[in-house]
Every structure is written in C-alpha cells, then in structure tokens.
Amino acid sequence: MTRADRPDPGDLDLQKQVCFALYAASRALTAVYRPVLERLGLTYPQYLVMLVLWERGQTSVKALGESLQLDSGTLSPLLKRLEAAGLVDRARDPRDERSVVVSLTPSGDRLREQATGIPRAIAEATGVPASELAYLRDTLRKITEAATAAPDKETT
Amino acid sequence: MTRADRPDPGDLDLQKQVCFALYAASRALTAVYRPVLERLGLTYPQYLVMLVLWERGQTSVKALGESLQLDSGTLSPLLKRLEAAGLVDRARDPRDERSVVVSLTPSGDRLREQATGIPRAIAEATGVPASELAYLRDTLRKITEAATAAPDKETT
DNA sequence: TGCGTTTTGGTTGTGCACAATCTAAACGGT
DNA sequence: ACCGTTTAGATTGTGCACAACCAAAACGCA
C-alpha cells in the first residue's frame, strides 16, 4: 500500500460513516423488497436463490453457495423451506453422492413469471439514476473483493 | 417521476446487480469487523451501540433506535447482552417511567480506548481511497433515504 | 487394497432483524 | 376525575448469517 492510499486521521470518521451507511442501506433496501416478495411467499435471500435457479435451471448447493457467498449453515435450512413450499426439489447427485442438486419444480418455474415485475418495482421505489447505480455497483464490488481478501490483520 | 428517470429494460439487470452487491458488501465488511471486534467481545451491531454511547454518554432506547434505525425487538436483547457483559447499565427514567436510559459502566467507558484503533484497522483492510468513500457514503445515504420513504407500491 | 485426506452438506448454537402482540405509563379532552 | 389514545419498551416467533462440529462419500497414493 502506497503512502497516498493510507488514510489520514481525518478519514477515520468517514470510514465509520461508510460502514454504517452500508449496513443501513442494505437493510433499508431489503425492507423495500419485503412487501413485494411477500406476495410471492419469498424472503429476500430466498429470492436470490430462485434468481440463480431461474437462470441456471439446476445447481448444486455448493455452486449456490459460491454464487451468493453463503455457506451450508445458511443454505440448508433455507432450501428446506423452499422445498417445503414446493418450489424446489433436492436430490443427491448419483454421480457424486456428496453433492445435492437443487432443481425447480413446475411450481417454482411458474413463479418466475410473477417475479418479472420485481426489479422494475424496486427501481421505481428507490429512484436512483442508472448512471449512479453503475458506479455504485462497481465500488461495492471493489469493497467486497477487498474485504473478502482482507488479511485479518493480527495487530498483536 | 419524469420520463428520463424511469429505468428502461436494460437497467433492470443493473438494478438487481446493485441490490446483490449491496447485500454482499455489507456482509463482507462486517466479516472484516468480526475478528477485530471479537477481541473486545463485541459484535458489529453491539459496536454501533457502543459508538453512540461513547459519543453521547447516555441515551434512551428510543434515541438509540432512531440513530441506528433498529426497533426494540432488536435492541432489547442486544442491550441485555451488553448489560450482562458489564458494559452498560439500564434504568427507567424517573421523569418518564416508560423510557429506559442506557448508560456506560466504568468498564464500558474504558473499552473506548481499546476501540480507537478499529477504524484505522478496517480502513487498511479494505483499502478503498477516501475520495471514493465520500461519494459512496453519499450515494448510500441517498438510497437509504429513498428506500425508507418508499411508498410500498401496491401495484395491485 | 487399504487408509488417511479432502470435499460436500447437514446440524447445533448464538446473535441479529423484524413483524406482531402485550403491558404499563403518559397524555388529552371532556 | 375519567377514559380512550398514544408512546416506550419487552416478548414471541420466524428467518437469516455464521462459527464449530459432524458424517458420509470421493479421492489418492503407498
């Protein structure tokens, strides 16, 4: 890290503000999704899983976890709830009995049509211009990447 | 909403990407905090509460909730854990017995010194330049504000 | 072939986040 | 003074998120 990149003391407050803003914005945005998704009987994380399945048709739990950056402790019960709701099937892969393949039921596939209006509804509710969204997405990805690779500094 | 602000179909994917990026970035960043805060025996939401208390000294549960945008269902058990850890006291306000005032114990006050290094450690771990952070903070606040004011469009 | 290692999911326990509901205190108008 | 309404906080129940641990299947190599 070069001298110029190292934050000076004046930045520390800014740093805290960004962390809290991120935390608050994430909760506020999922709160916008909540009533919309409720009509489909989905939570936001469940909706993310369905998005992956609608796009790929069939996915192992491992691949789902990599896409959404969630571990089995989160996904296992979530997938069991989706299965109980009749939206997905789970079956061991006969080629590798360790792997569980998640696939859409007819009901889960039909739900896709009801979900097509959701991104537009959210976009209208938040109303942030597309030009800013693209920059925001890129900055957030940068932060996620940096945070994921963060070395867990043991400052002794 | 004017014609120019309405997203065209091409933006819908961008919209989803931003929502997921926000969700992922928030979790990734709290994951960076986790090992650092663990040394203080705090979780990230508990740290946010302590930040408010370190700044204001004494706060009602209601004021805490407004600052952090959290309701009593989240704060009550969290504050009980902070109390069990000996970091805060809770007492009914004698002037208004409905209100509970949260204050720092000597131990909670001392913890502030151990926490001074945290923002710097996080800033170094993520390494996003200050110039971008300021813009990011402002954009996130805009989204939070828009999302909080969102009218829960009943699209019938 | 046998056995240690890795991979894949599941389980358990803790701690948010939030909706819904409840109690008690304060308030407000008559 | 009375009673309906509002407000502050706690409680209950559901669903993530994640750490820690576990079991079974697959792999690899001596």
Side-chain angles (χ1 to χ4, degrees):
Chain A
M1 187 183 279
T2 69
R3 170 69 187 81
D5 289 337
R6 184 169 302 131
D8 64 87
D11 291 340
L12 298 182
D13 231 42
L14 172 61
Q15 235 287 334
K16 287 197 300 196
Q17 288 166 8
V18 170
C19 294
F20 176 71
L22 195 48
Y23 166 75
S26 180
R27 283 186 301 123
L29 198 55
T30 61
V32 174
Y33 273 96
R34 195 170 299 115
V36 178
L37 291 174
E38 195 178 8
R39 289 197 281 265
L40 309 193
L42 294 176
T43 65
Y44 184 63
Q46 287 168 8
Y47 171 64
L48 294 179
V49 167
M50 294 303 286
L51 281 179
V52 174
L53 289 172
W54 287 327
E55 189 176 322
R56 298 192 209 156
Q58 236 190 21
T59 323
S60 69
V61 173
K62 175 179 170 55
L64 269 176
E66 284 167 354
S67 296
L68 306 177
Q69 299 172 228
L70 293 171
D71 67 9
S72 69
T74 300
L75 284 175
S76 286
L78 187 158
L79 291 171
K80 278 170 74 173
R81 280 186 285 272
L82 286 180
E83 189 180 36
L87 298 176
V88 308
D89 281 332
R90 291 187 304 153
R92 292 276 167 186
D93 184 343
R95 305 202 188 288
D96 184 344
E97 292 280 346
R98 292 171 303 180
S99 179
V100 168
V101 177
V102 183
S103 54
L104 290 165
T105 63
S107 171
D109 193 63
R110 276 195 302 276
L111 196 65
R112 185 203 315 230
E113 293 147 32
Q114 289 187 54
T116 52
I118 288 179
R120 189 182 44 70
I122 304 300
E124 285 180 359
T126 59
V128 177
S131 56
E132 289 191 31
L133 288 182
Y135 182 87
L136 179 61
R137 177 200 55 196
D138 295 340
T139 308
L140 290 173
R141 282 181 178 171
K142 228 185 291 183
I143 286 184
T144 302
E145 194 180 358
T148 303
D152 186 1
K153 313 241 175 196
E154 296 292 338
T155 41
T156 313
Chain B
M1 187 183 279
T2 71
R3 171 69 187 78
D5 289 337
R6 184 169 304 130
D8 65 87
D11 291 339
L12 297 182
D13 231 43
L14 173 61
Q15 234 287 333
K16 286 196 302 194
Q17 287 167 9
V18 170
C19 293
F20 176 71
L22 195 48
Y23 167 75
S26 180
R27 284 187 298 123
L29 197 55
T30 61
V32 174
Y33 274 96
R34 194 169 299 115
V36 178
L37 290 175
E38 195 179 8
R39 290 197 281 266
L40 309 193
L42 294 175
T43 65
Y44 183 64
Q46 288 168 7
Y47 171 64
L48 294 179
V49 167
M50 294 302 287
L51 282 179
V52 175
L53 289 173
W54 287 327
E55 190 176 320
R56 299 191 207 157
Q58 235 189 23
T59 323
S60 70
V61 173
K62 175 180 170 56
L64 269 176
E66 284 168 354
S67 297
L68 305 177
Q69 299 172 231
L70 293 171
D71 67 9
S72 70
T74 300
L75 284 175
S76 286
L78 188 157
L79 291 171
K80 279 171 73 173
R81 281 185 284 271
L82 287 180
E83 188 179 36
L87 299 175
V88 308
D89 280 332
R90 291 187 304 153
R92 292 277 167 185
D93 184 344
R95 304 203 189 288
D96 185 343
E97 292 281 344
R98 290 172 305 179
S99 178
V100 168
V101 176
V102 183
S103 53
L104 290 165
T105 62
S107 170
D109 193 63
R110 276 195 302 276
L111 196 65
R112 184 203 316 231
E113 293 147 31
Q114 288 187 55
T116 53
I118 288 179
R120 190 183 43 71
I122 303 301
E124 285 180 359
T126 59
V128 177
S131 55
E132 289 191 31
L133 288 183
Y135 182 86
L136 178 62
R137 177 201 55 194
D138 295 340
T139 308
L140 289 173
R141 283 180 177 173
K142 227 185 293 184
I143 287 185
T144 302
E145 195 180 356
T148 303
D152 184 2
K153 314 238 175 199
E154 295 293 338
T155 42
T156 312

